[in-house]
Amino acid sequence: MIDPALPLYGDLADPTPKIRVRGLDFFYGDQQALFSNDIDIAPNRVTAVIGPSGCGKSTHLRVYNRIFELYRDQKAKGDVLLNGESIFAPTMKLLELRRRVGMIFQKPTPFPMSVFENVAYGIRLHYAVPKSELEGRVEEALKGAALWEEVRDLLHKPGTALSGGQQQRLCIARAIAVEPEVLLMDEPTSAIDPIATAKIEELVDVLKKNYTIVIVTHNMQQAARISDFTAFFFKGYIVEFGETRQIFTNPKNKKTEEYITGRFG
Amino acid sequence: MRRLREYLSEHFETTFRGFTVLCAAVVLIIMAAMFFNLAWNARLAIGQFGLGFLWRDMWDPALNEYGALSSIYGTVVSTVIAMTVAVPMSVVIALFLVELAHPTVSKVVGAAIELLAAIPSIIYGMWGLFVFAPLMAETVQPFLQETLGLENVPGIGRLFTGAPMGIGMLTSGIILAIMILPFISAVMRDVFAMVPAVVKESAYGMGSTTWEVTRKVTLRYGIQGVVGACFLGLGRAIGETMAVTFVIGNAHRISLSLYDPGNSIASTIANEFAEASDPLYLQALIYLGLVLLVMTFVIQMIAQWWVVRLKKSMGAGL
Amino acid sequence: MKKTQNVRRREVINHIVSVLSGLAALVGIFFLGWILWTVARQGLAALNLDFFTKLPAPPGSDSGGLANAIAGTVVITLLATVIGVPLGLFTGVYLSEFGRVSHFGRMVRFTTNITTGIPSIIVGLFVYTLLVVPFKHFSAYAGAVALAIIMLPVVARTTEDMLALVPNALRESALAIGMPRWRMILAILFRAARSGLLTGTLLAVARVSGETAPLIFTAMNSPYWMKSLAEPTANLTVTIFNYAMSPFDDWKRLAWGASLLIMATVLAVNILARYLLREKK
C-alpha cells in the first residue's frame, strides 16, 4: 500500500514533490495503456523514465502537460498534481499549465520561422514584453540552452537551417524562454548524433538547477549518466522507481534487472 | 532473329522517348502560340490604340473607339471582393475540417465542399441570375443600405449607394467568392492535414490555443500550399466568365458604387463576341483577351516565384 | 517575472474563431444545398421525353427539346478526350520518367503549371484564331481542340504526380530483368498507377464537359442536328448561355433542364472518380 502522504522517492531529497502522480490509468480508445501509475517527481532533479518500447513511457509523460487531449480517443483517469494542485482541476488553466510544463520532442520541431522568432514565439504568447526587452530575453534563453554562441549571427536565418543538434537546443531554448517549472523530454537525443547528444546531456545537467526535468530515454547509459531518479516501466506498469544508482546497481525487481542487463527490450 | 528483335526494341526505346518529348513540346508550343496568335489577330486594334488601350476609359462600338480601363477595373474589383470574402473563410473552414470537427463530420463536409468545387461555372451563373441576384436586390442590398446604414458611413458609404438592382459588381464578387471558396478551402485542408503532428504538438505544448497554432505555425508551415491555393483561386476568379457575365450587368463604365453594373474583361468578350461584326471591334475584344492572358500569366509567374522565396525565408516544410 | 497577458482573452478569441469556422463550413454546405436544390427543382420541371428527343422549337411552341445539343456535347467532349488525354498522359510520362531534372523538363513543368491557370475563355479565343479564322467557319473540332487544350495540363500534372508515387524499386526491378524502359512504363507503371490515372482523367473530362466559355468562340451553337464535325455544333452549355439570357420562358425552362443534366453528369463523374480512388486505397 502506498501512503499518499509520503514521497515515493524516500528521504533523500526535498520532501515535497514537484509532480505527484496517483492511480493514473490511460486509454487509447478501449485499449488500456497505463495501469495505476504512482510516482513522485522530485523538484530540481532529473528523473529518467526507461523501459522497452511500447511500455507506456511516452504515454505517461504526455499526461503531465495534457497534450494527449489533442486526440479524441485518448483518455486519462487518476490524478496528477503539480505543486499539490491537480492538473485536471477546473481552476487549472490549460494554457498556463503548458507554459509551466514545457515539452521537448523526439525529433527537433523548429517552427517555420527564424531562430529569433522561434524563441520569441512563446514569450509573445504569454508575456507582455516591450520590444526592447524581448531581444534580451531571447538571448538569455539561447544562452540557457547553450546555443547563443553558435547562432548569434544566424538569428534571422530559418530555424530549420540549423543542424539537428542545434535545432533540438533551439527547441529547449524555446521551451525555457517562457520560464517553465518542469521540462518534459521525450527521447530528445534519439534523432541526433553522439556529439550533439553529449552536448544536450551536459545541458540537462545544468538545467536541473532551475527546472525539474523528466526525461524518457531508451538509452540506459544515458539514464545512468544524467538522472538522479529512474522509473522502470513495463507493459504500462511502473515496476520499479528509485534512485538511479540503486536501480542500476541493485534493482529489487527481476524484470528491472533483466532489462538493465540487456536481456530484453 | 534475336539480334533483330533487340535492335527493334532498342530503336523503339528512342522512338518512345522522342514521342513523349514531342507531347511535352506541344505544351510549350501552345503557350507561345497563344501569345502570338492573340497579338497577331488583334494587330489592327493594337496598331490603332497602342498601350494606351489599357488606361483608356471608353468603349463605343458605334464610334469604333475602344479602351480596356473599365473592363480591367471591373475585373480587379470583382476579384478583390471575391478574394476578400473567400480567403479568410477558406482558412477557417480548413481549420474546422482539420482541427475541430469530428472525423465523420469532417469527411462529409469535406466531400460536399469538393463537390461544390466541381459544379460548372455556368450553373453558378444560372443560379446567380435567377435566384441570387433577385435576393440581393430585394433583401440584401436594401438591408446593407438602410438597415445597416452603410450608405451613410463616411468613406465606404460611396460603395453602397445607388439603386439596389441585384445585378452589379457586389453580386458578381460574391458569386465569384462562392465559386472559388471550395477550391481554396479544399487545397488548404490538404495542406493543414499535411503539417506533421509533432510540429503542432510542440506548438500546443508551448501553451498555444488552437487558433494561435493555426495562425502562427500551421499557416506558416504550409505557406507554400496556402499561397498556391490562394493563387489558384485568384486565377479562377480573374478569368471566370460565365458566373460573372450573367450577373455583372455588362455596362462599360467605372462607378465607385458596388451596386452599379459594370463589366469584366471576360464578361465583355463573352457577351459582345457575337455582335462584333466590325473587324476593329472584334480585334479590340481579342486585344482584351491578350490583356487578360498577360495578367494571368504575370500572376502565375509571381505565384511560382513567391512560393520559392517564402520557402527560403521561413524554412516552411510543404 | 513580467506581467502575463490575459489568458482569458486568448481563450475567448480562440472560442470565437472556432464558432466562426463551424459557421463558415455551414455556409459552404448551405450554398451547395441551395444550388443543388434550385437546379434540381427547376431542371426536373423541364425534363421530359421531348427534351431528350426533339430539336429546339421557336419560342412559344412549348414542345422543343435539346436532343441535338446533348449529342453535340457528347461528341465534342469525346473528341476532346481522344485528343487531350494521350497528349497529357505522355507529357506526364516525359515529366516523370525522362525530364525530371533536365532543363527542358523544368521548362515544360513550369509552363504546364501556368497553362493550368490560363482562363478557359482565353483558350477559346486562341482556338478561334487558330481554327476558326483560317477556315472561316465554327466547328465541332475547334470546340474539341479548345477543350483538349484545357485538359492537357491537368492530365499531365496528375500523371506526373501519380507516376511519382510509384516506388522506384518497382522501376528498377523491371529494368533489372531486362525489360526496356518503354515497356516498363506502359506495362508496369501504368498498371501500378492505374486508378490514379483513371481518376485524374475522369476529373479532367468532367471539368471540360461543363465548360462554356471556350465553346462560344469555337463550336458556337446551332438549332440543327450536326452533320459533320466541320460546322457550328449545338452543345448544352452554350445553349444554356443563350437561352438563359433570352426573354422567353420556355427557353429559360430548357436552360434549366440543360443545367440539371450537365450538373448531374459532372457530379456523378466526380463521385465515381473519387469512389474509384478510395476503392484502391
Side-chain angles (χ1 to χ4, degrees):
Chain A
M1 254 326 266
I2 299 154
D3 180 355
L6 285 179
L8 287 175
Y9 49 79
D11 52 4
L12 289 142
D14 193 320
T16 49
K18 188 78 193 172
I19 293 175
R20 165 168 284 183
V21 180
R22 285 296 178 269
L24 179 67
D25 293 334
F26 195 90
F27 302 87
Y28 290 98
D30 300 331
Q31 193 89 25
Q32 186 162 4
L34 296 179
F35 299 87
S36 54
N37 289 176
D38 294 312
I39 192 170
D40 284 347
I41 306 294
N44 294 86
R45 291 289 182 277
V46 177
T47 303
V49 177
I50 61 170
S53 45
C55 67
K57 307 178 296 257
S58 295
T59 305
H60 180 90
L61 201 70
R62 290 162 63 87
V63 176
Y64 290 7
N65 62 350
R66 288 169 58 188
I67 197 81
F68 71 91
E69 288 180 1
L70 290 178
Y71 305 93
R72 227 166 268 274
D73 61 330
Q74 302 185 11
K75 294 270 175 311
K77 274 188 198 156
D79 211 355
V80 177
L81 308 177
L82 175 65
N83 286 345
E85 191 193 354
S86 170
I87 63 168
F88 298 110
T91 47
M92 176 65 77
K93 289 274 170 242
L94 182 61
L95 302 185
E96 186 59 11
L97 169 71
R98 288 184 181 156
R99 182 192 67 73
R100 290 166 64 190
V101 182
M103 193 168 212
I104 313 297
F105 294 80
Q106 203 164 353
K107 277 191 192 146
T109 54
F111 295 151
M113 43 188 98
S114 69
V115 171
F116 181 89
E117 288 298 325
N118 259 284
V119 182
Y121 175 85
I123 304 175
R124 288 211 179 99
L125 223 50
H126 296 284
Y127 301 101
V129 183
K131 204 168 178 280
S132 53
E133 215 180 303
L134 187 65
E135 281 174 30
R137 295 262 295 168
V138 170
E139 182 179 332
E140 206 180 298
L142 284 168
K143 280 180 175 157
L147 189 59
W148 174 251
E149 293 304 324
E150 292 162 57
V151 300
R152 59 191 307 170
D153 300 321
L154 308 172
L155 288 179
H156 299 288
K157 287 270 171 346
T160 45
L162 303 180
S163 73
Q166 288 174 328
Q167 287 186 20
Q168 196 60 301
R169 277 178 286 146
L170 177 64
C171 292
I172 294 176
R174 190 174 68 194
I176 63 179
V178 295
E179 303 185 335
E181 298 159 35
V182 180
L183 283 180
L184 308 174
M185 299 187 170
D186 189 356
E187 304 199 18
T189 59
S190 68
I192 54 185
D193 65 80
I195 294 169
T197 298
K199 274 190 189 156
I200 289 187
E201 288 182 7
E202 265 171 51
L203 179 60
V204 167
D205 209 49
V206 177
L207 286 173
K208 76 176 183 185
K209 288 194 189 71
N210 295 315
Y211 311 97
T212 302
I213 295 172
V214 188
I215 180 167
V216 168
T217 176
H218 61 257
N219 177 337
M220 277 175 287
Q221 284 74 27
Q222 184 171 63
R225 273 196 303 269
I226 63 174
S227 70
D228 301 296
F229 298 96
T230 296
F232 172 61
F233 274 64
F234 188 68
K235 291 187 172 168
Y237 291 92
I238 301 181
V239 172
E240 191 164 355
F241 174 53
E243 263 192 279
T244 300
R245 202 171 352 126
Q246 174 255 313
I247 295 270
F248 278 90
T249 55
N250 186 20
K252 294 190 180 109
N253 188 292
K254 199 157 167 292
K255 271 279 172 239
T256 317
E257 190 186 346
E258 282 174 15
Y259 181 70
I260 59 172
T261 51
R263 250 172 280 170
F264 76 96
Chain B
M1 196 59 206
R2 203 192 149 95
R3 290 198 46 158
L4 181 72
R5 251 170 59 193
E6 263 170 31
Y7 175 81
L8 270 180
S9 89
E10 194 102 321
H11 198 67
F12 193 78
E13 184 81 12
T14 333
T15 318
F16 180 78
R17 191 186 169 129
F19 180 66
T20 66
V21 173
L22 208 68
C23 289
V26 167
V27 179
L28 296 181
I29 294 167
I30 288 174
M31 193 75 231
M34 230 180 251
F35 279 98
F36 175 79
N37 269 29
L38 292 191
W40 177 250
N41 284 278
R43 61 191 182 280
L44 271 183
I46 295 173
Q48 180 103 6
F49 307 114
L51 265 184
F53 186 69
L54 294 178
W55 47 86
R56 202 148 181 261
D57 180 16
M58 161 160 249
W59 191 269
D60 196 335
L63 299 175
N64 242 349
E65 291 288 347
Y66 306 97
L69 192 65
S70 75
S71 307
I72 294 175
Y73 174 81
T75 303
V76 170
V77 170
S78 57
T79 304
V80 166
I81 297 175
M83 294 297 283
T84 322
V85 175
V87 171
M89 264 183 91
S90 301
V91 172
V92 292
I93 287 179
L95 168 71
F96 175 79
L97 293 177
V98 176
E99 305 286 341
L100 302 172
H102 187 277
T104 318
V105 175
S106 171
K107 216 187 257 171
V108 172
V109 176
I113 284 180
E114 279 173 20
L115 284 189
L116 199 53
I119 294 178
S121 62
I122 184 120
I123 306 289
Y124 284 91
M126 287 290 283
W127 176 80
L129 178 65
F130 292 110
V131 179
F132 193 63
L135 181 87
M136 287 291 285
E138 286 155 26
T139 316
V140 179
Q141 290 182 339
F143 173 80
L144 293 177
Q145 248 178 359
E146 288 152 28
T147 318
L148 288 187
L150 285 182
E151 195 179 10
N152 304 317
V153 177
I156 62 160
R158 294 278 307 272
L159 298 176
F160 298 94
T161 53
M165 293 188 291
I167 298 274
M169 220 50 116
L170 186 62
T171 307
S172 34
I174 294 175
I175 289 191
L176 275 181
I178 300 171
M179 249 195 77
I180 61 174
L181 179 75
F183 281 99
I184 308 182
S185 33
V187 181
M188 278 203 195
R189 175 200 56 186
D190 296 345
V191 170
F192 280 23
M194 274 194 287
V195 175
V198 272
V199 174
K200 283 185 203 165
E201 277 179 17
S202 49
Y204 281 111
M206 297 290 301
S208 323
T209 63
T210 308
W211 172 235
E212 285 160 352
V213 172
T214 304
R215 189 162 58 93
K216 295 178 179 161
V217 178
T218 308
L219 270 177
R220 278 165 166 259
Y221 196 91
I223 191 73
Q224 265 190 286
V226 169
V227 169
C230 292
F231 275 100
L232 184 76
L234 180 61
R236 286 256 149 185
I238 214 162
E240 176 46 41
T241 313
M242 302 328 293
V244 175
T245 308
F246 278 21
V247 294
I248 200 164
N250 302 307
H252 284 277
R253 59 171 166 154
I254 296 175
S255 163
L256 253 186
S257 170
L258 301 180
Y259 282 24
D260 285 342
N263 75 106
S264 75
I265 296 179
S267 78
T268 300
I269 301 172
N271 223 19
E272 302 184 19
F273 179 78
E275 348 171 326
S277 43
D278 182 89
L280 189 63
Y281 192 5
L282 185 64
Q283 296 218 356
L285 289 175
I286 295 175
Y287 195 4
L288 266 186
L290 185 63
V291 171
L292 182 59
L293 176 63
V294 171
M295 276 167 83
T296 44
F297 190 81
V298 168
I299 287 171
Q300 299 289 336
M301 296 277 276
I302 293 175
Q304 308 237 348
W305 167 81
W306 200 20
V307 158
V308 172
R309 215 188 67 125
L310 279 173
K311 194 176 182 181
K312 269 191 198 140
S313 70
M314 301 220 280
L318 295 173
Chain C
M1 192 81 162
K2 280 124 284 168
K3 122 184 145 213
T4 309
Q5 272 189 1
N6 192 347
V7 177
R8 181 102 193 102
R9 210 185 105 235
R10 291 170 51 209
E11 283 173 344
V12 167
I13 292 177
N14 185 49
H15 216 78
I16 293 173
V17 176
S18 304
V19 171
L20 282 181
S21 77
L23 281 178
L26 215 62
V27 167
I29 298 295
F30 171 73
F31 277 112
L32 176 70
W34 193 2
I35 293 171
L36 289 182
W37 187 75
T38 307
V39 176
R41 196 175 57 110
Q42 304 273 14
L44 280 177
L47 292 187
N48 50 31
L49 195 62
D50 281 358
F51 182 89
F52 292 98
T53 52
K54 291 204 170 161
L55 288 181
S61 62
D62 219 29
S63 67
L66 294 176
N68 60 339
I70 297 172
T73 291
V74 170
V75 168
I76 293 171
T77 308
L78 281 182
L79 193 56
T81 309
V82 170
I83 303 168
V85 169
L87 272 175
L89 206 61
F90 286 104
T91 305
V93 167
Y94 172 76
L95 287 175
S96 156
E97 303 304 313
F98 301 115
R100 216 174 255 192
V101 287
S102 76
H103 190 69
F104 182 71
R106 242 173 308 194
M107 214 158 81
V108 172
R109 191 173 296 110
F110 182 77
T111 314
T112 313
N113 282 345
I114 288 185
T115 317
T116 322
I118 299 291
S120 60
I121 189 169
I122 300 297
V123 176
L125 270 186
F126 165 60
V127 175
Y128 169 77
T129 64
L130 189 75
L131 292 177
V132 176
V133 173
F135 299 109
K136 300 199 168 57
H137 57 79
F138 295 96
S139 60
Y141 61 74
V145 167
L147 296 187
I149 291 178
I150 295 170
M151 288 175 88
L152 199 171
V154 181
V155 176
R157 284 318 307 255
T158 348
T159 305
E160 191 194 356
D161 292 348
M162 291 299 151
L163 292 184
L165 289 179
V166 179
N168 262 330
L170 202 60
R171 292 186 178 82
E172 282 159 16
S173 49
L175 295 176
I177 59 166
M179 196 182 265
R181 215 150 158 189
W182 63 269
R183 262 189 90 174
M184 181 270 287
I185 291 166
L186 293 179
I188 309 288
L189 293 191
F190 275 16
R191 183 164 310 171
R194 188 174 57 211
S195 66
L197 295 179
L198 189 60
T199 304
T201 308
L202 280 176
L203 289 179
V205 173
R207 193 187 142 188
V208 299
S209 67
E211 282 287 356
T212 314
L215 296 182
I216 298 176
F217 317 105
T218 50
M220 222 178 60
N221 205 349
S222 146
Y224 312 112
W225 287 104
M226 65 187 294
K227 291 188 194 65
S228 78
L229 292 175
E231 59 180 25
T233 305
N235 60 87
L236 285 171
T237 45
V238 177
T239 304
I240 299 175
F241 178 54
N242 292 341
Y243 281 17
M245 298 293 220
S246 80
F248 313 115
D249 280 341
D250 47 336
W251 278 13
K252 283 183 190 165
R253 209 168 39 81
L254 286 179
W256 279 114
S259 299
L260 176 60
L261 197 58
I262 283 285
M263 192 178 79
T265 314
V266 169
L267 291 187
V269 174
N270 261 275
I271 292 169
L272 175 72
R274 275 163 226 283
Y275 175 77
L276 281 177
L277 199 63
R278 210 149 293 164
E279 192 79 325
K280 180 69 193 256
K281 278 177 190 162

